[in-house]
């Protein structure tokens, strides 16, 4: 069994509108939706003992992320607000920026929720989801016949 991307199964209205309006048929670069609406790419690796999720989220800080586990639903979200003020002799410029994303994954029942570990380094959020010991592959053992 593998980790299931929930937002891939049932795309949200926002993602459908985003996909439609971000297409090159209207503008080379769509002025209505910028890159802050994009959902980051996620790499999922499975080994005998754990799953590893790598979320590509450059430009964020640890404090911007929120990771929640509700039953077997893992939810990774981030939100960033930015405000820039610039004052010169003749003018004042003020810019606001807001970006956020949410990714949800339905975890298999054999993930050890207590052992989940998360680290953010160089633009990559890495989560290690260990498997419960009883679900890991056991070494083959020959049983002698008495």
């Amino acid at each position: 069994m593998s980790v299931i991307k929930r937002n891939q199964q049932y795309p949200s209205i926002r993602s459908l509108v985003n996909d439609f309006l971000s297409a090159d048929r209207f503008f080379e670069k769509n002025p209505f939706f910028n890159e802050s609406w994009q959902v980051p790419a996620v790499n999922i690796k499975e080994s005998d003992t754990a799953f590893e999720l790598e979320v590509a989220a450059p430009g964020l800080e640890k404090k911007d992320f929120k990771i929640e586990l509700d039953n077997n639903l893992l939810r990774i979200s981030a939100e960033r607000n930015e405000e820039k003020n610039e004052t010169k002799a003749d003018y004042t410029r003020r810019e606001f920026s807001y970006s956020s994303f949410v990714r949800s994954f339905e975890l298999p029942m054999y993930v050890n929720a207590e052992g989940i570990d998360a680290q953010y380094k160089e633009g990559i959020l890495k989560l290690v989801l260990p498997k419960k010991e009883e679900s890991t592959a056991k070494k083959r053992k020959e049983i002698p016949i008495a």
Side-chain angles (χ1 to χ4, degrees):
M1 181 177 270
S2 62
V3 177
I4 300 169
K5 293 188 254 182
R6 173 157 292 209
N7 54 348
Q8 291 289 345
Q9 279 184 317
Y10 305 104
S12 67
I13 297 295
R14 177 188 292 169
S15 68
L16 291 172
V17 170
N18 245 3
D19 291 344
F20 179 72
L21 290 177
S22 65
D24 289 338
R25 59 191 121 163
F26 295 113
F27 304 99
E28 190 166 294
K29 185 165 182 171
N30 191 315
F32 300 110
F33 292 91
N34 61 22
E35 293 165 1
S36 65
W37 289 91
Q38 299 293 326
V39 178
V42 176
N43 293 332
I44 301 173
K45 301 177 193 173
E46 182 178 6
S47 69
D48 290 340
T49 59
F51 290 101
E52 285 186 21
L53 275 67
E54 295 176 332
V55 182
L60 296 174
E61 298 177 18
K62 282 186 204 181
K63 65 179 177 66
D64 297 330
F65 291 99
K66 184 176 182 180
I67 303 171
E68 300 173 309
L69 184 62
D70 184 14
N71 290 324
N72 65 335
L73 185 67
L74 178 69
R75 182 179 159 145
I76 303 168
S77 61
E79 186 175 307
R80 182 177 61 172
N81 296 318
E82 196 174 335
E83 182 178 330
K84 295 179 185 177
N85 290 321
E86 185 177 337
T87 305
K88 299 257 179 168
D90 298 351
Y91 66 91
T92 299
R93 182 176 76 174
R94 195 169 179 187
E95 294 182 7
F96 297 95
S97 172
Y98 174 81
S99 61
S100 67
F101 74 85
V102 176
R103 293 292 304 257
S104 297
F105 301 90
E106 189 171 335
L107 302 181
M109 297 304 290
Y110 53 86
V111 168
N112 178 5
E114 303 302 319
I116 295 175
D117 181 47
Q119 296 180 354
Y120 182 70
K121 187 177 178 182
E122 298 178 0
I124 305 291
L125 176 65
K126 183 177 180 179
L127 282 89
V128 177
L129 302 114
K131 294 179 181 177
K132 292 179 182 176
E133 197 168 312
E134 61 267 13
S135 68
T136 58
K138 307 283 188 224
K139 290 186 178 181
R140 180 180 272 180
K141 176 182 170 185
E142 188 173 325
I143 301 172
I145 301 172

